[in-house]
Amino acid sequence: MALITEPGKSDFIVANVSNSHNDAVAFQVKFAKDLTVAQLKSKLEILTGGCAGTMKVEVYKGDTCLSTLDNNDALLGYYANSDGLRLHVIDSFASFCFDSAAVEKFELTKDQYEQRTDSVRNYLKQNRLGKYNEEEMQQAEEKRRLQAEEIQKRAELCVIGARCEVTVPGNPTRRGTIRYNGQLEGKNGHFIGIEYDEPLGKNNGSVAGKAYFSCAPNYGGFVSPLSVTVGDFPPEDFNLDDEL
């Protein structure tokens, strides 16, 4: 897989880069951990077409947002210290609004844009990045296919009424009973509804006013099938009456 690398650095991370204009991961980039956030944004400006002065950068692990790079003087390594993370750039991407009565709208035809040598598209073509890197796109598609297969396989194991253990990054391991298996209205993906043994959830089995199952407040939650392990997980005993 082709990488953009920065020569002369000894301490790097390899991260995926995506943006709010196109949420698909476009390419992988090798960054030095001692870059400041401001320096990183300048590089991402070239790669994504966003503006370093206005963009917001978030760090993701899978679909989970770990942090926002909100301190321009901090080092990248403070926020992202391992490979495989995703840097997501949020910006308007030069979508400026003008008073159309006062300013004539400037537009390029498709052919005119193709002929420009200073465009983001030309940069990606010249460096064989994103959709212009056939091998990388095939690998990304294969990764999505394998993940979809694994989600389907794990979802088939999540039988209603089965006991399970739920592991989500940044949260304690929780035990509970599977109460729902399927889609959520207005959400993408497959979800497993859990009634937890303890009040460590986020809802009562309802999302956006629609009930998928019923439980006490804060005992319910919905997670990816990849976060659920089905098995013999009896409720944990937190009774401390016998402790000295």
Side-chain angles (χ1 to χ4, degrees), residues 15-19 23 25 58-64 84-88:
N16 294 313
V17 175
S18 63
N19 63 74
D23 285 338
V25 173
E58 297 176 337
V59 180
Y60 279 81
K61 183 175 183 181
D63 294 327
T64 303
L85 300 175
R86 176 164 60 93
L87 301 179
H88 185 63

Side-chain angles (χ1 to χ4, degrees), residues 182-232:
Q183 308 287 319
L184 298 182
E185 190 174 301
K187 302 285 185 180
N188 293 323
H190 199 106
F191 292 88
I192 305 300
I194 311 293
E195 180 179 3
Y196 295 111
D197 296 338
E198 302 294 327
L200 300 174
K202 293 184 176 181
N203 53 56
N204 63 351
S206 299
V207 177
K210 181 172 181 178
Y212 295 90
F213 65 93
S214 180
C215 66
N218 297 323
Y219 276 79
F222 295 87
V223 297
S224 165
L226 298 178
S227 299
V228 181
T229 302
V230 176
D232 183 15

Side-chain angles (χ1 to χ4, degrees), residues 51-72:
C51 174
T54 59
M55 71 172 59
K56 182 171 76 170
V57 183
E58 297 176 337
V59 180
Y60 279 81
K61 183 175 183 181
D63 294 327
T64 303
C65 181
L66 302 180
S67 61
T68 300
L69 279 63
D70 51 7
N71 182 352
N72 284 336

